[in-house]
């Protein structure tokens, strides 16, 4: 009798354990409801024109439905690629356009990374010439650069030495990288390279958790070497968080809707919306002179900067691991 009771108890424990394990894990947050990073768009559509895949080529993403008479220009510079990977940035480019920007996807090329800077310069110049023709949204004078990986270093290099290009009022680098190959590419984040940055240019560096501390990552070097005043720059590190399903993974492809190394199309998630889109939108808006009650350049390790660190909450109410800013990182 005791054996039967013991067996029944063991079965009950195993059953309850199985029920506990069957409880669903929390889901990650969707995009912010309003403001930077949200899908509360003033423009319902996007007009896309141009050709990528050819060094010096460009693709324009213009806000539509309704089309504004004029808008700021945001230049997007991709990272190293073996083939044309514009599709991985397409969701982000459309987001920026529907927020009210004319977006220039500047084609730097594929395997000739050493030629990226010159190709990007040609692409931007050609795109601006095209925008001056009838049938396009007219640039309003505001210019911002956004670059991923080595594209972030190219963006900074062009901002520091613009030549005939307009000097941007804001530069955003998404997980900037490429220092391991600087001897080959000639593209780095040295004090000499960044010395030409206009002190009035705002600078936002967003770093992936898995890139932090690696020799190829450039976030720390940019922070140390850029002449930008502290009040007009920030360094953010986007965390990973595996509390729920699917987990949030902050890696080098975190700002792309797909994995640049593995192919395929991973869906947008909170890493995109909260980690990259939200601070990028806010930085561009401030760079274009729009007022904000949550400056993304709040870089101190104090509660006043918590809104910059926010990554939303899992659906059980638990906040996602928060973004670290420059003050948290010792910058």
């Amino acid at each position: 009798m005791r054996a039967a009771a013991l067996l029944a108890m063991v079965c009950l424990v195993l059953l309850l354990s199985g029920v506990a394990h069957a409880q669903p894990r929390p889901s990650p947050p969707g995009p912010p409801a309003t403001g930077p990073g949200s899908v509360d768009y003033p423009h319902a559509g996007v007009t896309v024109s141009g050709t990528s895949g050819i060094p010096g080529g460009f693709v324009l993403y213009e806000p539509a439905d309704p089309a504004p008479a004029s808008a700021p220009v945001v230049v997007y510079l991709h990272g190293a690629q073996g083939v044309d990977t514009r599709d991985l940035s397409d969701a982000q480019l459309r987001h920026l356009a529907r927020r009210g920007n004319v977006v220039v996807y500047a084609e730097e090329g594929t395997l000739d990374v050493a030629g990226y800077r010159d190709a990007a310069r040609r692409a931007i110049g050609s795109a601006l010439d095209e925008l001056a023709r009838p049938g396009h949204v007219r640039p309003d004078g505001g210019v911002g650069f956004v670059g991923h990986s080595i594209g972030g270093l190219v963006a900074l290099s062009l901002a520091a030495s613009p030549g005939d290009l307009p000097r941007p009022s804001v530069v955003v680098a998404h997980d900037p990288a490429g220092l391991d190959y600087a001897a080959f590419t000639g593209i780095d984040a040295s004090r000499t390279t960044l010395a030409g940055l206009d002190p009035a240019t705002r600078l936002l560096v967003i770093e992936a958790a898995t890139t932090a501390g690696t020799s190829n990552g450039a976030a720390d070097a940019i922070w140390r070497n850029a002449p930008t005043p502290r009040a007009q720059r920030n360094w953010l590190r986007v965390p990973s968080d595996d509390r729920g399903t699917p987990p949030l993974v902050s890696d080098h492809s975190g700002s792309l809707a797909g994995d640049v190394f593995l192919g395929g199309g991973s869906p947008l998630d909170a890493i995109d919306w909260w980690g990259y889109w939200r601070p990028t939108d806010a930085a561009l808006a401030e760079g274009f002179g729009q007022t904000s009650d949550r400056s993304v350049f709040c870089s101190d390790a104090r509660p006043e900067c918590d809104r910059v660190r926010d990554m939303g909450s899992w659906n059980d109410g638990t906040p996602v691991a928060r973004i670290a800013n420059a003050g948290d990182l010792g910058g």
Side-chain angles (χ1 to χ4, degrees):
M1 193 68 176
R2 288 181 180 176
L6 180 59
L7 179 60
M9 184 177 296
V10 169
C11 290
L12 179 60
V13 169
L14 291 174
L15 177 62
L16 292 176
S17 175
V19 170
H21 284 300
Q23 294 300 313
R25 301 185 72 196
S27 300
T34 59
S38 76
V39 294
D40 181 21
Y41 296 122
H43 302 278
V46 179
T47 299
V48 181
S49 62
T51 303
S52 62
I54 304 170
F58 63 88
V59 176
L60 299 176
Y61 289 72
E62 301 177 67
D65 303 325
S70 64
V73 173
V74 175
V75 174
Y76 183 87
L77 297 150
H78 61 75
Q81 56 183 10
V83 296
D84 181 15
T85 57
R86 180 171 60 90
D87 60 316
L88 299 178
S89 307
D90 184 73
Q92 182 177 189
L93 303 176
R94 290 177 181 275
H95 167 80
L96 289 169
R98 293 182 67 187
R99 293 283 303 177
N101 306 290
V102 172
V103 182
V104 174
Y105 178 87
E107 180 58 73
E108 301 152 88
T110 53
L111 298 177
D112 180 23
V113 182
Y116 275 19
R117 187 165 37 199
D118 290 341
R121 189 181 295 277
R122 297 196 308 273
I124 298 168
S126 297
L128 293 176
D129 288 344
E130 177 61 31
L131 286 170
R133 297 187 176 98
H136 295 288
V137 176
R138 185 176 70 253
D140 68 3
V143 178
F145 289 174
V146 178
H148 171 249
S149 190
I150 201 166
L153 297 183
V154 173
L156 284 161
S157 177
L158 293 176
S161 301
D164 293 336
L165 300 179
R167 192 181 290 272
S169 60
V170 56
V171 178
V172 182
H174 289 174
D175 204 28
L179 297 189
D180 285 350
Y181 309 98
F184 164 68
T185 64
I187 303 169
D188 61 23
S190 67
R191 194 161 304 218
T192 300
T193 296
L194 302 183
L197 282 174
D198 187 334
T201 298
R202 288 173 169 80
L203 173 61
L204 179 64
V205 180
I206 306 177
E207 182 182 36
T210 58
T211 304
T214 65
S215 60
N216 199 41
D220 179 69
I222 293 169
W223 181 259
R224 287 185 283 105
N225 295 329
T228 312
R230 176 65 178 253
Q232 295 178 192
R233 61 175 171 156
N234 205 351
W235 169 17
L236 305 178
R237 183 177 295 163
V238 180
S240 294
D241 191 335
D242 62 359
R243 173 179 175 78
T245 301
L248 298 174
V249 179
S250 176
D251 60 16
H252 191 55
S253 298
S255 68
L256 305 176
D259 193 303
V260 71
F261 299 109
L262 300 179
S266 60
L268 297 172
D269 63 12
I271 298 294
D272 298 279
W273 299 312
W274 296 82
Y276 288 92
W277 292 12
R278 188 170 184 250
T280 297
D281 288 352
L284 292 171
E286 290 184 60
F288 298 149
Q290 300 171 24
T291 58
S292 172
D293 64 348
R294 62 167 73 141
S295 175
V296 74
F297 302 104
C298 189
S299 61
D300 297 330
R302 56 191 171 100
E304 287 85 346
C305 298
D306 280 350
R307 286 180 296 183
V308 178
R309 302 178 176 102
D310 187 19
M311 280 285 290
S313 297
W314 298 93
N315 71 344
D316 65 357
T318 303
V320 173
R322 73 179 189 174
I323 296 170
N325 71 3
D328 302 319
L329 299 171

